[in-house]
Amino acid sequence: MIPGSIAANTAPAHLVLSGVGHRFGSFTALAGVDLTVRRGEFVTLLGPSGSGKTTLLRAIAGLAPPTEGSIRQDGADVTAVPVERRDVGIVFQSYALFPTLSVADNITYGLRALSRAARRDRLDAMLTLIGLTAHAGKYPGQLSGGQQQRVALARALAPGPGLLLLDEPLSALDAEVRRDLRGELRRLQRQLGITTLMVTHDQEEALTLSDRIMVLSQGKVEQVGSPVDLYDRPASLFVAGFIGAMNRLPLTSAPDGSLLLGPWPLPGLELGNNQPGQAPVLCLRPEWLGLDDAALDRPQIDDGHLCLPGRVTDSEYRGAQIMVQLALDAPELAGLSLTSLQPAWAGAVAGGDLAPGRRLRLRLPLGRLRLFADGVAA
Amino acid sequence: MPQALYRPRLAGLTRATISLLAITPSLLFLLLALALPLAALLSQALHDRAGHFVGLANLRDYLANPSLLAALGNSLILSLVSAGITVTLAFLYAYGLTRTRMPGRGLFALIAQLPLLAPSLLPGIALIYLFGNQGILKGALGGHSIYGPIGIVLGEVFWTFPHALLILTAALSLADARLYEAARALKAGPWRRFATITLPSVRPGLISAFVAVFAMVITDFGVPKVIGGQMPLLSTDIYRQVIGQQNFQRGAVVALLLLLPALLAFLIDRAMAARPGAALGGKAVALVAERNRAVDTVFLIFCAAVAGCLLLIPVTALFASLVRLWPYDLTLDLWHYQFDMADSSGWEAYGNSVKLAAFTALCGTLVIFPGAWLVVKGRAAAAMRQGIHALALLPLAVPGLVLGLGYVFFLADPDNPLRMLQGTLALLVICTIAHYYSVPHLSAMTALRRLDPELEEAGRALKVSPAVTLRRVTLPLTLPVVLDMASYLFLSALTTVSAVVFLYDPDTSLAALAVLAMDDAGDTAPAAAMAMLIFATGAVARIGWALATAGLRRRTARWQTRKDG
């Protein structure tokens, strides 16, 4: 079963992982990964370092076969097939270009089976594709980081692989070059329609490039879904915190199933099957946390919003937006800080300034609130 | 914040003074112990016996003599052949050590170090016992004599093997696993990966090893002296001209000729090093050799064969030193270790050698490390630092015989106040440090260059004198290298023959020179015994040094234990 929206892509499955896992001795680097990637799809493996994403990519590449599970590519079981007999192109982290070979020789390295003329044509096509025709005779050491990255991409694409694997392809570049290349990578991938799997720890890269994202943490899959799924409907507290900014309100649950925020009962919210020790947490993105001037002394539901009394502790002007830090009006919740992101063009909240200490009503839209228990969506 | 913390400690003044104070001894040493003796040698070659300036007449005389010219040709050919064989064997051996998973790699690496413990006379003596007129394996040569080119090449290959191996192991162990993975992903087979990745990455190492071995062989005279027979060579020719015929001017001319190929080799090596190579990026992933039964077996057989040959030489010499009278009386005892029978100063020479080695290690490290530190980290007196570096590399190209002869001429000048050093152990120490200056200098520089320059800048920003940063940060970080420098100097001094052969006095003879003298006098077994004594001393010193400094190394290496990440 594939979670998330794949309605746009009904192409046949190109890569199917079932129960893929990898153990190094007693250490489990990866466990129970299931994933189906459709032809032409761009899927990203996202996670912090040590999450097992590189281990998974190396298993898919055939560089380090998994110790558990199976990998099928184009219908054939390739689990134990080494990389030299796989239909994959790989772009390595910081490229691994052959330093003693020219750009042209690097790109044609994998084209030994072709005739001289065919190799020449392919090289020209690749150089045009990456816009480096003028640099064919240079050595990798004479190129900028962004140019090296393009050569690495061209080298991986030249033999025409069915599956492109990208290992942190942009991490070694400056922020500006990275943004440019990100767009170019997406354009190329769409143009060639090549199935692509990318590993990254950069959530922005993952959100902007991918059709779907698989979030990994400590060797386990946290969630698979489209960028919108992951951002709006995170399946776990980990995903909620890892992608974008998130306000977290730790709650306590009463024996009758109702929920308390500090001293306040929260109307309109409850856990399905209430058990002690579930550590419920209420989450909301800062951009959804609204503010107004209405007076309030305890939580209430108003017009589809959970409203809480609070006050400003700090504010930061950011050009397009204003970031407001808030505290809740209850001594028991003194340690809790919330963030609201307000569009600056709307004028400061209800006309007044945002001086520390100003009392405000916090409006949390019920439809945007995410409730987690034991770290997973409740 | 207490104000005292912000007091700049003798800033400005200290830095310049420290630089000058430290730079002067190093520069002075290199000038006096290296540059001036070489200048004296050059000048001698341009004068006749009576001291009149004759220009290139001495050289013309020499070149007009066809038998002497033959020595030049012989030296070149034998050096090329020896270098070719050594580098080929050492490359395969190093490949086995670094790129395969064959068993016993640690042991093989250790065995390959054995030749370092012996003076170059030892392989000559052992080869005579193996293949000489009464040799055990005489038949294996198929009627050819071991005395001559065959013996010289075999002996030189043994003696230079660890040096080539060191360079090639270093070159082969730097490998980026991602390049090999990228090649596999592009369907390149093992031979293509070897040709396009391995070979280009070790090419500088191969050239470097070839040049180093070539220079060692062409300037060595230990092996040809013992086993060269009647074959004329440049190195033995100098010895014969100076010691045998007391013809110093001709000796100087031959020394200059010997300087040329070594200098040429040195320049080639420098030019190759300056070329932009396949430097490893910061993101390189270390290559871990994969298990491959067939490859591992082939290399195991090869390395075992080479290691067996390397072991055969000292084992033979040991046996030769213990047998009463080969091949007639095979009683094993320590008879030949009673050196008083053969050479009255045997044990005294041994004592001198140990003293020389200890002083060379201590003083050499104290002179060389500060020099290297100033070249890398110093900021004042740029010209002086350049001077130190240029002079420090010079010994690489200067054969020991040439340097020794330079000392003879330098001290022969009656106006030289350093004349009083003639024949003293101090002179031998100075000469030996100068002779072996380059390698420790280069390794200290490499270690210092690897340190982030921001460390020094952080120290300066914190208003701490550079001497404090040196003591508290730089020295602990480079301590393993400093300890290795001392060890290298000790072993080199223990086994050296070439530079000191012209400089010793009856009171300051050395163990390796006693080997030479005894072998010359036909006392081959005592010569073998003395060579084995040097060998054993080197081994004990090496192991003892490793054990004695293990605690120190561990303590200063504590920072390297990483938080697991």
Side-chain angles (χ1 to χ4, degrees), chain A residues 36 41 120 145 152 166 200 206 257 307 331 339:
Chain A
T36 300
E41 206 180 2
R120 185 80 239 163
L166 308 167
T200 185
C307 300
T339 305

Side-chain angles (χ1 to χ4, degrees), chain A residues 39-184:
Chain A
R39 194 173 297 286
E41 206 180 2
F42 194 127
V43 174
T44 296
L45 309 176
L46 175 68
S49 64
S51 60
K53 56 190 192 302
T54 299
T55 307
L56 182 56
L57 191 81
R58 292 176 66 80
I60 295 168
L63 288 168
T67 54
E68 286 152 35
S70 75
I71 301 172
R72 300 180 73 80
Q73 188 178 352
D74 261 338
D77 188 331
V78 295
T79 316
V81 175
V83 63
E84 45 273 58
R85 283 188 279 129
R86 294 266 183 111
D87 181 23
V88 296
I90 308 174
V91 175
F92 289 83
Q93 194 172 6
S94 61
Y95 328 130
L97 294 174
F98 303 119
T100 52
L101 300 183
S102 69
V103 167
D105 288 342
N106 262 286
I107 294 176
T108 54
Y109 193 89
L111 303 178
R112 294 268 278 195
L114 268 53
S115 72
R116 186 177 287 269
R119 221 182 302 171
R120 185 80 239 163
D121 291 347
R122 189 76 184 143
L123 171 65
D124 289 341
M126 283 296 135
L127 286 170
T128 311
L129 191 70
I130 58 168
L132 288 180
T133 310
H135 301 280
K138 287 192 180 171
Y139 288 90
Q142 299 166 327
L143 300 178
S144 72
Q147 289 169 331
Q148 290 184 27
Q149 209 281 336
R150 284 167 216 230
V151 175
L153 190 61
R155 184 180 68 177
L157 289 173
L163 176 62
L164 179 64
L165 303 175
L166 308 167
D167 186 4
E168 303 259 7
L170 305 172
S171 65
L173 299 169
D174 297 340
E176 200 178 329
V177 182
R178 197 183 316 179
R179 259 196 307 280
D180 289 351
L181 271 175
R182 204 159 67 195
E184 200 168 329

Side-chain angles (χ1 to χ4, degrees), chain B residues 380-395:
Chain B
M384 278 168 100
R385 287 192 284 120
Q386 291 290 323
I388 288 189
H389 188 52
L391 282 175
L393 294 184
L394 194 56

Side-chain angles (χ1 to χ4, degrees), chain A:
Chain A
M1 193 207 91
I2 307 151
S5 87
I6 51 147
N9 192 335
T10 52
H14 181 77
L15 181 75
V16 181
L17 311 181
S18 7
V20 170
H22 202 116
R23 283 170 194 282
F24 298 100
S26 62
F27 172 68
T28 305
L30 199 64
V33 176
D34 296 313
L35 177 70
T36 300
V37 181
R38 295 184 178 276
R39 194 173 297 286
E41 206 180 2
F42 194 127
V43 174
T44 296
L45 309 176
L46 175 68
S49 64
S51 60
K53 56 190 192 302
T54 299
T55 307
L56 182 56
L57 191 81
R58 292 176 66 80
I60 295 168
L63 288 168
T67 54
E68 286 152 35
S70 75
I71 301 172
R72 300 180 73 80
Q73 188 178 352
D74 261 338
D77 188 331
V78 295
T79 316
V81 175
V83 63
E84 45 273 58
R85 283 188 279 129
R86 294 266 183 111
D87 181 23
V88 296
I90 308 174
V91 175
F92 289 83
Q93 194 172 6
S94 61
Y95 328 130
L97 294 174
F98 303 119
T100 52
L101 300 183
S102 69
V103 167
D105 288 342
N106 262 286
I107 294 176
T108 54
Y109 193 89
L111 303 178
R112 294 268 278 195
L114 268 53
S115 72
R116 186 177 287 269
R119 221 182 302 171
R120 185 80 239 163
D121 291 347
R122 189 76 184 143
L123 171 65
D124 289 341
M126 283 296 135
L127 286 170
T128 311
L129 191 70
I130 58 168
L132 288 180
T133 310
H135 301 280
K138 287 192 180 171
Y139 288 90
Q142 299 166 327
L143 300 178
S144 72
Q147 289 169 331
Q148 290 184 27
Q149 209 281 336
R150 284 167 216 230
V151 175
L153 190 61
R155 184 180 68 177
L157 289 173
L163 176 62
L164 179 64
L165 303 175
L166 308 167
D167 186 4
E168 303 259 7
L170 305 172
S171 65
L173 299 169
D174 297 340
E176 200 178 329
V177 182
R178 197 183 316 179
R179 259 196 307 280
D180 289 351
L181 271 175
R182 204 159 67 195
E184 200 168 329
L185 191 59
R186 188 61 173 139
R187 176 183 65 76
L188 275 176
Q189 194 265 341
R190 291 247 166 87
Q191 185 184 332
L192 301 170
I194 184 171
T195 315
T196 303
L197 211 65
M198 176 176 81
V199 154
T200 185
H201 65 268
D202 181 331
Q203 44 148 318
E204 195 183 324
E205 217 165 277
L207 290 175
T208 50
L209 281 171
S210 321
D211 294 318
R212 280 191 301 145
I213 300 171
M214 171 186 262
V215 182
L216 291 154
S217 166
Q218 296 179 0
K220 293 200 178 63
V221 178
E222 290 280 340
Q223 189 173 1
V224 183
S226 70
V228 176
D229 279 340
L230 262 59
Y231 191 80
D232 285 350
R233 289 174 291 279
S236 69
L237 214 55
F238 175 83
V239 176
F242 190 68
I243 296 176
M246 190 63 102
N247 285 308
R248 292 166 174 237
L249 298 170
L251 307 180
T252 47
S253 54
D256 63 351
S258 66
L259 292 165
L260 295 146
L261 173 59
W264 298 326
L266 290 182
L269 284 170
E270 64 179 35
L271 279 174
N273 59 340
N274 181 36
Q275 279 165 8
Q278 278 182 315
V281 177
L282 198 59
C283 287
L284 184 72
R285 299 276 178 205
E287 62 270 27
W288 289 106
L289 176 54
L291 303 171
D292 69 20
D293 261 340
L296 191 71
D297 57 1
R298 51 199 301 285
Q300 57 176 232
I301 300 291
D302 176 31
D303 189 20
H305 288 71
L306 170 66
C307 300
L308 302 171
R311 69 200 133 69
V312 176
T313 56
D314 195 9
S315 68
E316 192 180 291
Y317 178 66
R318 293 185 164 188
Q321 292 156 330
I322 297 175
M323 195 174 81
V324 190
Q325 300 291 345
L326 302 143
L328 292 173
D329 249 359
E332 296 88 337
L333 298 169
L336 205 62
S337 174
L338 289 114
T339 305
S340 168
L341 213 52
Q342 300 287 324
W345 44 263
V349 179
D353 65 8
L354 290 166
R358 182 178 172 196
R359 301 179 74 85
L360 291 169
R361 183 172 77 154
L362 280 55
R363 291 164 53 83
L364 292 64
L366 288 174
R368 290 287 165 182
L369 281 173
R370 295 285 136 209
L371 184 60
F372 296 90
D374 280 341
V376 297

Side-chain angles (χ1 to χ4, degrees), chain B residues 408-492:
Chain B
V408 170
F409 298 136
F410 182 53
L411 297 178
D413 183 349
D415 296 333
N416 191 336
L418 296 175
R419 275 197 81 160
M420 58 180 190
L421 287 176
Q422 256 174 342
T424 63
L425 194 64
L427 180 70
L428 298 183
V429 171
I430 291 170
C431 176
T432 308
I433 294 173
H435 184 189
Y436 292 104
Y437 197 101
S438 305
V439 170
H441 173 80
L442 283 175
S443 57
M445 269 186 51
T446 311
L448 288 167
R449 281 223 173 105
R450 259 202 304 256
L451 297 183
D452 193 336
E454 286 186 357
L455 290 177
E456 250 86 15
E457 284 162 17
R460 287 216 305 278
L462 294 167
K463 315 266 188 291
V464 169
S465 124
V468 174
T469 309
L470 173 64
R471 182 171 55 79
R472 305 239 353 235
V473 182
T474 313
L475 212 49
L477 284 175
T478 48
L479 188 80
V481 174
V482 175
L483 295 176
D484 287 344
M485 285 166 69
S487 165
Y488 170 87
L489 287 168
F490 186 92
L491 283 184
S492 301

